[in-house]
Coordinates of all heavy atoms in Angstrom, one line a residue:
M1 N -8.2 -12.8 21.4 CA -9.1 -11.6 21.8 C -8.3 -10.3 21.8 O -8.8 -9.4 21.2 CB -9.6 -11.9 23.3 CG -10.7 -13.0 23.4 SD -12.1 -12.6 22.4 CE -13.2 -14.0 22.8
A2 N -7.1 -10.4 22.3 CA -6.3 -9.2 22.3 C -6.0 -8.7 20.9 O -6.0 -7.5 20.6 CB -5.0 -9.4 23.1
D3 N -5.8 -9.7 20.0 CA -5.5 -9.4 18.6 C -6.7 -8.6 18.0 O -6.5 -7.7 17.2 CB -5.2 -10.6 17.8 CG -3.9 -11.2 18.2 OD1 -3.1 -10.5 18.8 OD2 -3.6 -12.4 17.9
D4 N -7.9 -9.0 18.3 CA -9.1 -8.3 17.7 C -9.1 -6.8 18.1 O -9.3 -6.0 17.3 CB -10.4 -8.9 18.2 CG -10.5 -10.3 17.6 OD1 -9.8 -10.6 16.7 OD2 -11.3 -11.1 18.2
I5 N -8.7 -6.5 19.3 CA -8.7 -5.1 19.7 C -7.6 -4.3 19.0 O -7.9 -3.2 18.5 CB -8.5 -5.0 21.3 CG1 -9.6 -5.7 22.0 CG2 -8.3 -3.6 21.7 CD1 -9.4 -5.9 23.5
V6 N -6.5 -4.9 18.8 CA -5.4 -4.2 18.1 C -5.8 -3.9 16.7 O -5.6 -2.8 16.2 CB -4.1 -5.0 18.2 CG1 -3.1 -4.4 17.3 CG2 -3.6 -5.1 19.6
N7 N -6.3 -4.9 16.0 CA -6.7 -4.8 14.6 C -7.8 -3.7 14.4 O -7.7 -2.9 13.5 CB -7.2 -6.1 14.1 CG -6.1 -7.1 13.9 OD1 -4.9 -6.7 13.8 ND2 -6.4 -8.4 13.8
T8 N -8.7 -3.7 15.3 CA -9.8 -2.6 15.2 C -9.2 -1.3 15.3 O -9.5 -0.3 14.6 CB -10.9 -2.9 16.3 OG1 -11.4 -4.2 16.1 CG2 -12.0 -1.9 16.1
A9 N -8.3 -1.1 16.3 CA -7.7 0.2 16.5 C -6.9 0.7 15.2 O -7.0 1.8 14.8 CB -6.7 0.2 17.7
E10 N -6.2 -0.2 14.6 CA -5.5 0.1 13.4 C -6.4 0.5 12.2 O -6.1 1.4 11.5 CB -4.6 -1.1 12.9 CG -3.4 -1.2 13.9 CD -2.6 -2.5 13.5 OE1 -3.0 -3.2 12.5 OE2 -1.5 -2.6 14.1
I11 N -7.5 -0.2 12.1 CA -8.4 0.2 11.0 C -9.1 1.5 11.3 O -9.2 2.3 10.4 CB -9.5 -0.9 10.9 CG1 -8.9 -2.2 10.4 CG2 -10.7 -0.5 9.9 CD1 -9.8 -3.4 10.4
E12 N -9.5 1.8 12.5 CA -10.1 3.1 12.8 C -9.2 4.3 12.7 O -9.7 5.4 12.5 CB -10.7 3.0 14.2 CG -12.0 2.1 14.3 CD -12.5 2.0 15.7 OE1 -11.9 2.5 16.6 OE2 -13.6 1.5 15.8
R13 N -7.9 4.1 12.9 CA -7.0 5.2 12.8 C -7.1 5.8 11.4 O -7.4 7.0 11.3 CB -5.6 4.7 13.0 CG -4.6 5.8 13.4 CD -3.3 5.3 13.7 NE -2.7 4.5 12.6 CZ -1.9 3.5 12.8 NH1 -1.5 3.1 14.0 NH2 -1.4 2.8 11.7
G14 N -6.9 5.0 10.4 CA -7.1 5.5 9.0 C -6.3 6.7 8.5 O -6.8 7.4 7.6
D15 N -5.2 7.0 9.2 CA -4.5 8.2 8.8 C -3.1 7.9 8.1 O -2.3 8.7 8.0 CB -4.3 9.1 10.0 CG -3.5 8.4 11.1 OD1 -3.2 7.2 11.0 OD2 -3.2 9.0 12.1
E16 N -3.0 6.6 7.7 CA -1.7 6.2 7.1 C -1.9 6.4 5.6 O -2.7 5.8 4.9 CB -1.4 4.8 7.4 CG 0.0 4.4 7.0 CD 0.2 2.9 7.4 OE1 -0.6 2.3 8.0 OE2 1.3 2.4 6.9
I17 N -1.1 7.4 5.1 CA -1.2 7.8 3.6 C 0.1 7.3 2.9 O 1.2 7.5 3.4 CB -1.4 9.3 3.5 CG1 -2.7 9.7 4.2 CG2 -1.4 9.7 2.0 CD1 -4.0 9.1 3.7
A18 N -0.1 6.8 1.8 CA 1.1 6.4 0.9 C 0.9 7.0 -0.5 O -0.3 7.3 -0.9 CB 1.2 4.9 0.9
L19 N 2.0 7.0 -1.2 CA 1.9 7.4 -2.6 C 1.8 6.2 -3.5 O 2.5 5.3 -3.3 CB 3.1 8.2 -3.0 CG 3.1 9.7 -2.6 CD1 4.4 10.3 -3.1 CD2 1.9 10.4 -3.2
D20 N 0.8 6.2 -4.4 CA 0.7 5.2 -5.4 C 2.0 5.2 -6.3 O 2.3 6.2 -6.9 CB -0.5 5.5 -6.2 CG -0.8 4.4 -7.3 OD1 0.2 3.8 -7.8 OD2 -2.0 4.1 -7.5
A21 N 2.8 4.2 -6.2 CA 4.1 4.2 -6.9 C 3.9 4.2 -8.4 O 4.8 4.5 -9.2 CB 4.9 2.9 -6.5
V22 N 2.7 3.9 -9.0 CA 2.5 3.9 -10.4 C 2.0 5.2 -10.9 O 2.6 5.8 -11.8 CB 1.5 2.7 -10.8 CG1 1.2 2.8 -12.2 CG2 2.1 1.4 -10.3
C23 N 1.0 5.7 -10.3 CA 0.4 7.0 -10.9 C 0.7 8.2 -10.0 O 0.5 9.3 -10.4 CB -1.1 6.8 -11.1 SG -2.0 6.8 -9.5
G24 N 1.2 8.0 -8.8 CA 1.6 9.1 -8.0 C 0.5 9.8 -7.1 O 0.8 10.7 -6.3
M25 N -0.7 9.3 -7.1 CA -1.7 9.9 -6.3 C -1.6 9.3 -4.8 O -1.0 8.3 -4.6 CB -3.1 9.6 -6.9 CG -3.6 8.2 -6.8 SD -5.3 8.0 -7.4 CE -6.2 8.6 -6.0
T26 N -2.2 10.1 -3.9 CA -2.1 9.6 -2.5 C -3.2 8.5 -2.3 O -4.3 8.6 -2.8 CB -2.4 10.8 -1.5 OG1 -3.6 11.4 -1.9 CG2 -1.2 11.8 -1.6
V27 N -2.8 7.6 -1.5 CA -3.7 6.4 -1.2 C -3.8 6.2 0.3 O -2.8 6.3 1.0 CB -3.2 5.2 -1.9 CG1 -4.0 3.9 -1.6 CG2 -3.0 5.3 -3.4
D28 N -5.0 6.0 0.8 CA -5.2 5.6 2.2 C -4.9 4.2 2.3 O -5.5 3.3 1.7 CB -6.7 5.9 2.5 CG -7.0 5.6 4.0 OD1 -6.5 4.6 4.5 OD2 -7.7 6.4 4.6
V29 N -3.9 3.9 3.1 CA -3.3 2.6 3.2 C -4.3 1.6 3.7 O -4.4 0.5 3.3 CB -2.0 2.6 4.0 CG1 -1.5 1.2 4.2 CG2 -0.9 3.4 3.4
E30 N -5.0 2.0 4.8 CA -6.0 1.1 5.3 C -7.1 0.7 4.3 O -7.6 -0.4 4.2 CB -6.7 1.7 6.6 CG -5.6 1.9 7.7 CD -5.0 0.6 8.2 OE1 -5.6 -0.4 8.0 OE2 -4.0 0.7 8.8
L31 N -7.5 1.7 3.6 CA -8.5 1.5 2.5 C -8.0 0.5 1.5 O -8.7 -0.4 1.0 CB -8.9 2.8 1.9 CG -10.3 2.9 1.2 CD1 -11.4 2.6 2.2 CD2 -10.5 4.2 0.6
A32 N -6.7 0.8 1.1 CA -6.1 -0.1 0.1 C -6.0 -1.5 0.6 O -6.3 -2.5 -0.2 CB -4.7 0.5 -0.3
R33 N -5.7 -1.7 1.9 CA -5.6 -3.0 2.4 C -6.9 -3.7 2.4 O -7.0 -4.9 2.1 CB -5.1 -3.0 3.9 CG -3.6 -2.8 4.0 CD -3.1 -3.3 5.4 NE -1.7 -2.9 5.5 CZ -1.2 -1.9 6.2 NH1 -2.1 -1.2 6.9 NH2 0.1 -1.7 6.3
A34 N -8.0 -3.0 2.7 CA -9.3 -3.5 2.8 C -9.7 -4.0 1.3 O -10.5 -4.9 1.2 CB -10.3 -2.5 3.3
R35 N -9.2 -3.3 0.3 CA -9.5 -3.7 -1.1 C -8.5 -4.6 -1.7 O -8.5 -4.7 -2.9 CB -9.7 -2.4 -1.9 CG -10.9 -1.5 -1.4 CD -10.9 -0.2 -2.2 NE -12.0 0.7 -1.9 CZ -12.2 1.9 -2.3 NH1 -11.3 2.4 -3.1 NH2 -13.2 2.5 -1.9
D36 N -7.5 -5.1 -0.9 CA -6.5 -5.9 -1.5 C -5.7 -5.2 -2.5 O -5.4 -5.8 -3.6 CB -7.1 -7.2 -2.0 CG -6.1 -8.3 -2.3 OD1 -5.1 -8.3 -1.7 OD2 -6.3 -9.2 -3.2
L37 N -5.3 -4.0 -2.3 CA -4.5 -3.2 -3.2 C -3.2 -2.9 -2.7 O -2.6 -1.8 -3.0 CB -5.3 -1.9 -3.6 CG -6.6 -2.1 -4.3 CD1 -7.4 -0.8 -4.5 CD2 -6.5 -2.8 -5.7
V38 N -2.7 -3.7 -1.8 CA -1.3 -3.5 -1.2 C -0.5 -4.7 -1.6 O -0.9 -5.8 -1.5 CB -1.4 -3.4 0.3 CG1 0.0 -3.3 0.9 CG2 -2.2 -2.2 0.7
L39 N 0.7 -4.3 -2.1 CA 1.7 -5.4 -2.4 C 3.0 -5.1 -1.6 O 3.4 -4.0 -1.4 CB 2.1 -5.3 -3.9 CG 1.0 -5.8 -4.9 CD1 1.5 -5.7 -6.4 CD2 0.5 -7.2 -4.7
A40 N 3.6 -6.2 -1.2 CA 4.9 -6.1 -0.6 C 6.0 -6.4 -1.5 O 5.9 -7.3 -2.3 CB 5.0 -7.1 0.6
F41 N 7.0 -5.5 -1.5 CA 8.2 -5.7 -2.4 C 9.4 -5.1 -1.7 O 9.4 -4.0 -1.2 CB 7.9 -5.0 -3.8 CG 9.1 -5.1 -4.7 CD1 9.4 -6.3 -5.4 CD2 9.9 -4.0 -4.9 CE1 10.5 -6.4 -6.2 CE2 11.0 -4.1 -5.7 CZ 11.3 -5.3 -6.4
A42 N 10.5 -5.9 -1.7 CA 11.8 -5.5 -1.2 C 11.6 -5.0 0.3 O 12.1 -3.9 0.7 CB 12.4 -4.4 -2.0
E43 N 10.8 -5.8 1.1 CA 10.6 -5.5 2.5 C 9.8 -4.2 2.7 O 9.9 -3.6 3.8 CB 11.9 -5.4 3.2 CG 12.7 -6.8 3.2 CD 14.0 -6.8 4.0 OE1 14.3 -5.7 4.6 OE2 14.6 -7.8 4.0
R44 N 9.2 -3.7 1.7 CA 8.3 -2.5 1.9 C 6.9 -2.9 1.3 O 6.8 -3.8 0.5 CB 8.8 -1.3 1.1 CG 10.0 -0.6 1.7 CD 10.1 0.8 1.2 NE 8.9 1.5 1.3 CZ 8.6 2.6 0.6 NH1 9.5 3.1 -0.3 NH2 7.5 3.2 0.8
E45 N 5.9 -2.1 1.8 CA 4.6 -2.3 1.3 C 4.2 -1.1 0.4 O 4.5 0.1 0.7 CB 3.6 -2.3 2.4 CG 3.5 -3.7 3.1 CD 2.3 -3.8 4.0 OE1 2.0 -2.8 4.7 OE2 1.8 -5.0 4.1
Y46 N 3.6 -1.4 -0.7 CA 3.1 -0.4 -1.7 C 1.6 -0.4 -1.8 O 1.1 -1.5 -2.0 CB 3.8 -0.6 -3.0 CG 5.3 -0.4 -3.0 CD1 6.1 -1.4 -2.6 CD2 5.9 0.8 -3.3 CE1 7.5 -1.3 -2.5 CE2 7.2 1.0 -3.2 CZ 8.1 0.0 -2.8 OH 9.4 0.1 -2.7
A47 N 1.0 0.7 -1.6 CA -0.5 0.8 -1.8 C -0.9 1.4 -3.1 O -0.2 2.3 -3.6 CB -1.1 1.5 -0.6
F48 N -2.0 1.0 -3.7 CA -2.3 1.5 -5.0 C -3.8 2.0 -5.0 O -4.6 1.5 -4.2 CB -2.1 0.4 -6.0 CG -0.7 -0.1 -6.0 CD1 -0.4 -1.2 -5.3 CD2 0.2 0.6 -6.7 CE1 1.0 -1.7 -5.3 CE2 1.6 0.2 -6.7 CZ 1.9 -1.0 -6.0
C49 N -4.1 2.9 -5.9 CA -5.4 3.4 -6.0 C -6.4 2.5 -6.6 O -7.6 2.6 -6.4 CB -5.4 4.7 -6.9 SG -5.0 4.4 -8.6
G50 N -5.9 1.5 -7.4 CA -6.9 0.6 -8.0 C -6.1 -0.7 -8.5 O -4.9 -0.7 -8.5
A51 N -6.9 -1.6 -9.0 CA -6.3 -2.9 -9.4 C -5.4 -2.7 -10.6 O -4.5 -3.4 -10.8 CB -7.5 -3.9 -9.8
C52 N -5.7 -1.7 -11.5 CA -4.9 -1.5 -12.7 C -3.5 -1.1 -12.3 O -2.5 -1.6 -12.9 CB -5.6 -0.4 -13.6 SG -5.9 1.1 -12.8
C53 N -3.4 -0.2 -11.3 CA -2.0 0.3 -10.9 C -1.3 -0.9 -10.2 O -0.1 -1.1 -10.4 CB -2.1 1.5 -10.0 SG -2.5 3.0 -10.9
R54 N -2.1 -1.6 -9.3 CA -1.5 -2.8 -8.6 C -0.9 -3.8 -9.6 O 0.2 -4.3 -9.5 CB -2.5 -3.4 -7.7 CG -2.0 -4.6 -6.9 CD -3.1 -5.4 -6.4 NE -3.9 -6.0 -7.5 CZ -5.1 -6.5 -7.4 NH1 -5.7 -6.6 -6.2 NH2 -5.7 -7.0 -8.4
D55 N -1.7 -4.1 -10.7 CA -1.3 -5.1 -11.7 C 0.0 -4.6 -12.4 O 0.8 -5.4 -12.8 CB -2.4 -5.4 -12.6 CG -3.5 -6.2 -11.9 OD1 -3.2 -6.6 -10.7 OD2 -4.6 -6.3 -12.4
R56 N 0.0 -3.3 -12.8 CA 1.1 -2.7 -13.5 C 2.4 -2.9 -12.6 O 3.5 -3.2 -13.1 CB 0.9 -1.3 -13.9 CG 0.0 -1.1 -15.1 CD -0.2 0.3 -15.4 NE 1.0 1.0 -15.8 CZ 1.2 2.3 -16.0 NH1 0.1 3.1 -15.8 NH2 2.3 2.8 -16.5
F57 N 2.2 -2.6 -11.3 CA 3.4 -2.7 -10.4 C 3.8 -4.2 -10.3 O 5.0 -4.5 -10.3 CB 3.0 -2.2 -9.0 CG 4.1 -2.2 -8.0 CD1 5.0 -1.2 -7.9 CD2 4.3 -3.4 -7.2 CE1 6.0 -1.2 -6.9 CE2 5.3 -3.4 -6.3 CZ 6.2 -2.3 -6.1
A58 N 2.9 -5.1 -10.3 CA 3.2 -6.5 -10.2 C 4.0 -7.0 -11.3 O 4.8 -7.9 -11.2 CB 1.9 -7.3 -10.0
R59 N 3.7 -6.4 -12.5 CA 4.4 -6.8 -13.7 C 5.9 -6.4 -13.7 O 6.8 -7.1 -14.2 CB 3.7 -6.3 -15.0 CG 2.6 -7.2 -15.4 CD 2.0 -6.8 -16.7 NE 0.5 -6.9 -16.7 CZ -0.3 -5.9 -16.7 NH1 0.1 -4.7 -16.8 NH2 -1.6 -6.1 -16.7
S60 N 6.2 -5.2 -13.2 CA 7.6 -4.7 -13.2 C 7.8 -3.9 -11.9 O 8.0 -2.7 -12.0 CB 7.9 -3.8 -14.4 OG 6.9 -2.8 -14.6
P61 N 7.9 -4.5 -10.8 CA 8.0 -3.9 -9.5 C 9.2 -3.1 -9.3 O 9.2 -2.0 -8.7 CB 7.9 -5.0 -8.5 CG 8.3 -6.2 -9.3 CD 7.8 -6.0 -10.7
I62 N 10.3 -3.5 -10.0 CA 11.6 -2.8 -9.7 C 11.5 -1.3 -10.3 O 11.9 -0.4 -9.7 CB 12.8 -3.5 -10.4 CG1 13.0 -4.8 -9.6 CG2 14.0 -2.7 -10.4 CD1 14.0 -5.8 -10.2
A63 N 10.9 -1.2 -11.5 CA 10.8 0.1 -12.2 C 10.0 1.1 -11.3 O 10.4 2.2 -11.1 CB 10.3 -0.1 -13.5
F64 N 8.9 0.6 -10.8 CA 8.0 1.4 -10.1 C 8.5 1.7 -8.6 O 8.3 2.7 -8.0 CB 6.6 0.9 -10.0 CG 5.9 0.9 -11.4 CD1 5.6 -0.3 -12.0 CD2 5.7 2.2 -12.0 CE1 5.0 -0.2 -13.3 CE2 5.1 2.2 -13.3 CZ 4.7 1.0 -13.9
A65 N 9.1 0.6 -8.0 CA 9.6 0.8 -6.6 C 10.6 1.9 -6.5 O 10.6 2.6 -5.6 CB 10.1 -0.5 -6.1
V66 N 11.5 2.0 -7.5 CA 12.5 3.0 -7.4 C 11.9 4.3 -7.6 O 12.2 5.3 -6.9 CB 13.6 2.7 -8.5 CG1 14.6 3.9 -8.6 CG2 14.3 1.4 -8.2
A67 N 11.0 4.5 -8.6 CA 10.4 5.8 -8.9 C 9.5 6.3 -7.7 O 9.4 7.4 -7.4 CB 9.6 5.7 -10.1
G68 N 8.9 5.3 -7.0 CA 7.9 5.7 -6.0 C 8.5 5.7 -4.6 O 7.7 5.9 -3.7
R69 N 9.7 5.6 -4.5 CA 10.3 5.6 -3.2 C 10.2 6.9 -2.5 O 10.6 8.0 -3.1 CB 11.8 5.2 -3.3 CG 12.4 4.8 -2.0 CD 13.8 4.2 -2.2 NE 14.6 5.0 -3.1 CZ 15.6 4.6 -3.8 NH1 16.0 3.3 -3.7 NH2 16.4 5.4 -4.6
A70 N 9.6 6.9 -1.3 CA 9.3 8.2 -0.7 C 10.1 8.5 0.6 O 9.8 9.3 1.4 CB 7.8 8.2 -0.3
E71 N 11.2 7.8 0.7 CA 12.1 8.0 1.9 C 12.9 9.2 1.8 O 13.3 9.6 0.7 CB 13.0 6.7 2.1 CG 12.2 5.5 2.5 CD 13.1 4.3 2.5 OE1 14.3 4.4 2.4 OE2 12.5 3.2 2.5
P72 N 13.1 9.9 2.9 CA 13.8 11.2 2.8 C 15.3 11.0 2.5 O 15.9 10.0 2.7 CB 13.7 11.7 4.2 CG 13.4 10.6 5.1 CD 12.6 9.6 4.2
Ligands
LIG101 ZN1 -2.8 4.6 -9.3

């Protein structure tokens, strides 16, 4: 029961923005999760604008993970 409340709060927040590591556009992470457009790689999650970018990342994650790294 408690888990349901937490999950709903996370979905409603909807302010988590990530950069698509393949094409560089901004992606709403919650929306990407709902559409199964998030991949985990090297202990990080990457969100994508569409299945085409997700699939390109899946084929060569190292090349895109380095380019799309957004840490300061
Ligand atoms: Zn994209």
Side-chain angles (χ1 to χ4, degrees):
M1 287 301 184
D3 288 344
D4 291 342
I5 294 170
V6 170
N7 288 339
T8 302
E10 286 178 354
I11 291 168
E12 285 178 351
R13 198 177 57 207
D15 58 358
E16 192 179 349
I17 300 297
L19 279 181
D20 185 322
V22 176
C23 71
M25 70 177 280
T26 54
V27 178
D28 185 313
V29 176
E30 296 298 339
L31 202 62
R33 281 203 186 102
R35 294 175 176 172
D36 194 25
L37 296 174
V38 175
L39 289 180
F41 177 74
E43 298 183 1
R44 284 199 53 200
E45 281 191 325
Y46 295 85
F48 304 96
C49 65
C52 53
C53 285
R54 182 199 60 194
D55 291 346
R56 282 180 66 187
F57 182 91
R59 275 186 220 114
S60 52
I62 292 173
F64 292 117
V66 172
R69 195 168 49 199
E71 290 170 14

